Amino acid sequence: MPRALVTGITGQDGSYLAEFLIEKGYEVYGLMRRSSVVTDQRIRHLLGRVELLDGDLLDEGSLVRALRTSTPDEVYNLGAQSFVPASFTAPVMTGEFTGLGVTRLLEAIRLFDAPVRFYQASSSEMFGKVVEVPQTETTPFYPRSPYGVAKLYGHWITVNYRESYGLYACSGILFNHESPRRGLEFAPRKIARGVARIKLGKQKELHLGNLEARRDWGYAKDYVRAMWLMLQQDEPDDYVVATGETHSVGEFVELAFRRVGIENWRDYVTVDTALFRPAEVDLLIGDPAKARAKLNWEPEVSFEGLVNLMVDADLELEAQTPE
Ligand code: NDP
Ligand code: GDR
């Protein structure tokens, strides 16, 4: 039975990846940091099928212990401070979690001295103020937030450990991916939930920031499959994972309202400049040709399919939740 250790198992991707690996017959271990509040909502249905280990990307010793307990074949480093606006208000902490955290884990793996395969959750935010359209594995980086800068460090330290120590280490440059399990503060989930609540009469309007920004949005379940595929190849490498389509935040809003039968969506949306970022990423669109050719990976859910499934899920959830 192959064994995997997943950091960030309580997050959106961690929960889908854990499900995917269990289905593949893996013994799954998840690193979970202590909290005074409950953080296992996304993996509660998996309790008993995943082994949860106490640990924190800030604490090297806890990473060493997690490796010793799990003796993994594969390590997926999904843990991070992943919300871009929070990185502007907490840039140093973001650097610690999202940047240096990668080195702590890589160093723990190097000293553990076993043939572990490593996946790093890198991000299209590294392309930031894009210098090439669409973005590929060879597009130069230009991050626009402390988060993007921290992820860039995580990307290069992964490449460096591969080249310096021969570690099987891959950096997956994943573009935005969403699901009903997405955190409430990210734009697509905020929109899906807001639209559902407006439809049900629980909310009057939706406050959003920049509606012009464009993203390449996919479905999280499709993207965790790509993570796993990267670790099954003969040689470690870096891959862009994207749909190859770009849409504006405004388009996401329009489709979401349409899903619940509301066409005059502008009547319900207020643009709040307080939600604008100090530096914005205006346009992202990835070219997944390498992932398609080498990993045989294809996204299965379209942009409209994603909007619809997210709105439908939030409608169902909100209908069951008393105010
Ligand atoms: P989430 O924000 O949903 O999950 C982040 C996870 O990291 C949570 O489990 C969180 O734990 C954990 N975490 C945070 N800080 C620490 C720490 N110090 N030590 C250990 N664990 C920690 O992110 P996603 O699931 O959406 O993303 C997964 C990864 O992929 C992240 O690294 C993200 O930056 C990256 N990424 C995401 C993309 C996306 O579109 N979703 C695109 C590209 C990259 P807790 O529950 O305790 O907060
Ligand atoms: P992003 O995702 O920053 O791309 O990072 P997010 O959904 O937060 O923003 C996408 C775009 O929408 C605009 N926007 C708003 N964003 C939020 N959060 N809230 C709003 O009200 C709002 N209104 C407009 C933003 O300005 C932005 O342009 C996500 C994260 O998951 C990262 O961890 C990951 O690395 C990247 O995707 C790829």
Side-chain angles (χ1 to χ4, degrees), residues 137-154:
E137 293 78 5
T138 57
T139 301
F141 298 114
Y142 190 152
R144 291 276 277 176
S145 64
Y147 169 82
V149 173
K151 279 287 176 191
L152 193 48
Y153 173 85

Side-chain angles (χ1 to χ4, degrees), residues 7-15 31-35 38-42 55-59 62-63 77-83 93 96-98 101 104 119-125 147 151 172-178 181-183 185-186 216-218 220 223 227:
T7 74
I9 194 157
T10 55
Q12 170 189 257
D13 290 6
S15 67
L31 190 81
M32 197 169 154
R33 57 182 174 156
R34 197 213 156 256
S35 170
V38 174
T39 59
D40 69 358
Q41 296 94 332
R42 294 189 180 98
D56 197 302
L57 288 166
L58 299 184
D59 188 310
S62 72
L63 303 178
N77 184 33
L78 310 186
Q81 191 300 97
S82 76
F83 189 45
M93 184 199 74
E96 285 285 355
F97 287 22
T98 306
R104 287 191 197 94
Y119 172 85
Q120 167 58 15
S122 293
S123 165
S124 52
E125 282 293 298
Y147 169 82
K151 279 287 176 191
I173 307 174
L174 271 53
F175 283 61
N176 299 54
H177 46 277
E178 314 293 326
R181 294 187 198 163
R182 185 59 137 153
E185 68 275 43
F186 296 90
D216 181 328
W217 276 296
Y223 285 50
M227 296 174 187

